[in-house]
Amino acid sequence: MAKTSKSIQIREPMTWCYIRQSLSRVEQRHTADFQYDECYQSWKANYQRFGFPKWAGKQNAFVDVDTSGRKTRFEERTEGKRLLAKVREGDHLFVWRIDRLGRRIFDIMDTVGRLVEKMQVRVHVANLGGQAMDLGSVAGKCVLMGLSLAAEIEGEAISERTRATHAYRKSAGLPVCGRPP
């Protein structure tokens, strides 16, 4: 930690990683380990070019497990709250995909706006063709709008498919909830 002349300690900028894992997606590519690895690979591919702070490892990862991106706002999630309390001006936050922050356009915009505008944190999406997109840049804001809308539409489509599946299973006399044995 650096010290100022008034003995106030200021820490160096840090790189953080936020992961939201849905239990229904564990069998697929959405595991916490997969998301962490993707964020790390994006950081590694871009850190020298963009001057990212050092990657500190999994102790700087915030993982919300079995948390709905549609039903629970980022700031209401256990690890979302912890992250908001820990990040500081100059820090960098990596997420695998924008929908990890939320499935509602206004929630995503609010979260990124709070981090970028109010807290001066640089937010990066890892899975954009090998580039770590800075959502605070002009181009990043344009991409953020499109990705946020896509995340909300995808969330609504998932809900519609789930409701249709439940209705079918109910009409067929099959259990509606839970996974098959």
Side-chain angles (χ1 to χ4, degrees):
M1 296 227 176
K3 289 188 177 187
T4 65
S5 59
K6 294 182 181 182
S7 297
I8 298 172
Q9 292 188 350
I10 301 171
R11 68 168 173 75
E12 297 295 320
M14 299 177 74
T15 299
W16 306 91
C17 179
Y18 177 76
I19 295 164
R20 182 179 60 81
Q21 175 182 301
S22 303
L23 282 182
S24 62
R25 304 263 183 187
V26 170
E27 310 83 34
Q28 298 172 2
R29 295 179 4 151
H30 298 79
T31 66
D33 286 339
F34 173 83
Q35 291 180 51
Y36 176 85
D37 290 343
E38 290 294 303
C39 288
Y40 173 72
Q41 291 304 322
S42 178
W43 172 86
K44 187 176 174 183
N46 294 286
Y47 81 98
Q48 287 181 325
R49 185 170 139 211
F50 293 112
F52 295 146
K54 179 182 168 196
W55 189 268
K58 288 192 176 183
Q59 69 268 20
N60 281 12
F62 296 85
V63 183
D64 275 315
V65 177
D66 197 25
T67 303
S68 170
R70 276 189 80 172
K71 297 175 185 173
T72 311
R73 292 177 54 84
F74 183 82
E75 62 198 23
E76 296 168 356
R77 300 178 203 156
T78 304
E79 294 298 293
K81 281 187 236 181
R82 266 191 61 229
L83 183 135
L84 290 171
K86 285 213 171 206
V87 295
R88 298 288 179 262
E89 183 177 333
D91 285 353
H92 291 251
L93 172 65
F94 278 78
V95 294
W96 171 50
R97 293 188 342 196
I98 199 69
D99 67 355
R100 302 297 86 194
L101 295 177
R103 290 274 189 193
R104 301 266 184 210
I105 191 168
F106 294 116
D107 184 30
I108 296 168
M109 299 302 290
D110 183 53
T111 300
V112 173
R114 179 178 184 178
L115 288 163
V116 172
E117 301 294 329
K118 292 181 181 173
M119 301 176 84
Q120 301 297 303
V121 173
R122 309 250 330 252
V123 180
H124 308 277
V125 178
N127 77 328
L128 296 175
Q131 298 298 313
M133 174 67 71
D134 178 0
L135 298 181
S137 68
V138 174
K141 289 175 184 177
C142 291
V143 170
L144 174 63
M145 290 294 292
L147 292 176
S148 299
L149 181 57
E152 183 164 333
I153 291 168
E154 181 183 10
E156 290 175 8
I158 290 169
S159 292
E160 287 174 9
R161 288 191 304 268
T162 302
R163 283 191 299 273
T165 299
H166 285 186
Y168 167 77
R169 293 181 66 81
K170 187 175 181 180
S171 70
L174 300 168
V176 174
C177 296
R179 294 196 175 131

